[in-house]
Amino acid sequence: NAGVMQNPRHLVRRRGQEARLRCSPMKGHSHVYWYRQLPEEGLKFMVYLQKENIIDESGMPKERFSAEFPKEGPSILRIQQVVRGDSAAYFCASSRGTGGNTEAFFGQGTRLTVV
Amino acid sequence: EDQVTQSPEALRLQEGESSSLNCSYTVSGLRGLFWYRQDPGKGPEFLFTLYSAGEEKEKERLKATLTKKESFLHITAPKPEDSATYLCAAVTSGTYKYIFGTGTRLKVLA
């Protein structure tokens, strides 16, 4: 029973390029969350999605960031025109039901470095 | 504003020295309180869920408890392999996102 799969594990981008982070939820899970973590800081909520719907994107910057969770395939977090401040670990979590009613399980993260 | 605060920020224990980690929450209606363990360079690993005051959960040397304002993670006779950052998160009734504290970095010395 595979866990939450994120790829790539490490991603290096030059300033101005695009970063695409992928997240495949656990089997049977239809709820996906994206979080950002800076060194020595906690996990900061970015966006909560269900299949084909964005439920809460209150933690996601309005500019350059977008997320999707299509009917088929993984959830994608997309960062356009990356800047040095986007360097962080990005974690995806999935749950079977609505947030708080069931446990959310995390992937191993994608570490984005902008040079 | 919904908030989760963890203390202490860091804790060093000798092997076998029991202690407790605190998670205080100020939220508008708690839907669930979650504990995770995170090792360096890895994603958080789920430990416990607590839903109502008075509830307790146990797993090996760990025991989580919940009151109306805070949760405790009790570690009994810890071992060096218990060294990690322990995170708690609250989900409120008005939203579905997990609000995390900044964690307690635990170091258990042999």
Side-chain angles (χ1 to χ4, degrees), chain A residues 3-67:
Chain A
V4 178
M5 304 299 292
Q6 289 189 248
N7 66 82
R9 291 293 308 278
H10 300 275
L11 182 61
V12 179
R13 284 287 177 267
R14 295 186 184 280
R15 281 176 294 170
Q17 290 185 319
E18 178 180 289
R20 292 172 71 92
L21 287 59
R22 294 175 181 76
C23 169
S24 296
M26 288 178 68
K27 187 176 180 181
H29 288 194
S30 58
H31 301 252
V32 166
Y33 311 79
W34 284 93
Y35 283 80
R36 178 161 66 178
Q37 188 175 43
L38 292 168
E40 307 302 322
E41 291 189 16
L43 288 155
K44 300 297 184 188
F45 170 80
M46 298 182 73
V47 61
Y48 166 44
L49 311 101
Q50 293 180 29
K51 284 281 188 181
E52 299 184 278
N53 287 303
I54 297 174
I55 306 302
D56 183 344
E57 56 182 348
S58 60
M60 201 154 67
K62 296 282 188 283
E63 307 282 330
R64 302 187 297 108
F65 286 74
S66 62

Side-chain angles (χ1 to χ4, degrees), chain B residues 5 14 17 19-20 22 24-25 29 33 36-37 44 48 65 79-80 84-86 88 90 107:
Chain B
T5 304
Q14 289 295 131
E17 180 186 2
S19 188
S20 296
N22 177 265
S24 298
Y25 59 92
L33 191 291
Y36 289 85
R37 168 191 170 131
F48 302 109
T65 62
K79 298 182 178 182
T85 296
Y86 291 85
C88 74
K107 177 74 172 177

Side-chain angles (χ1 to χ4, degrees), chain A residues 35 98-99 101-104 111, chain B residues 31 36 38 41 46 51 96 98:
Chain A
Y35 283 80
T98 307
N101 290 340
T102 58
E103 300 81 11
R111 277 146 191 86
Chain B
R31 185 189 293 268
Y36 289 85
Q38 186 174 26
F46 171 75
Y51 290 109
Y96 301 104
Y98 294 73

Side-chain angles (χ1 to χ4, degrees), chain B residues 28-54:
Chain B
S28 51
L30 182 71
R31 185 189 293 268
L33 191 291
F34 300 79
W35 282 97
Y36 289 85
R37 168 191 170 131
Q38 186 174 26
D39 292 296
K42 300 206 172 169
E45 174 189 345
F46 171 75
L47 292 174
F48 302 109
T49 309
L50 301 164
Y51 290 109
S52 55

Side-chain angles (χ1 to χ4, degrees), chain A residues 51-113:
Chain A
K51 284 281 188 181
E52 299 184 278
N53 287 303
I54 297 174
I55 306 302
D56 183 344
E57 56 182 348
S58 60
M60 201 154 67
K62 296 282 188 283
E63 307 282 330
R64 302 187 297 108
F65 286 74
S66 62
E68 63 176 11
F69 188 16
K71 186 176 180 181
E72 301 291 338
S75 175
I76 305 286
L77 179 67
R78 183 182 177 204
I79 310 173
Q80 295 178 288
Q81 299 175 328
V82 296
V83 301
R84 289 233 169 96
D86 296 332
S87 295
Y90 292 83
F91 289 98
C92 161
S94 74
S95 65
R96 186 178 301 277
T98 307
N101 290 340
T102 58
E103 300 81 11
F105 295 90
F106 281 81
Q108 294 302 303
T110 293
R111 277 146 191 86
L112 173 65
T113 302

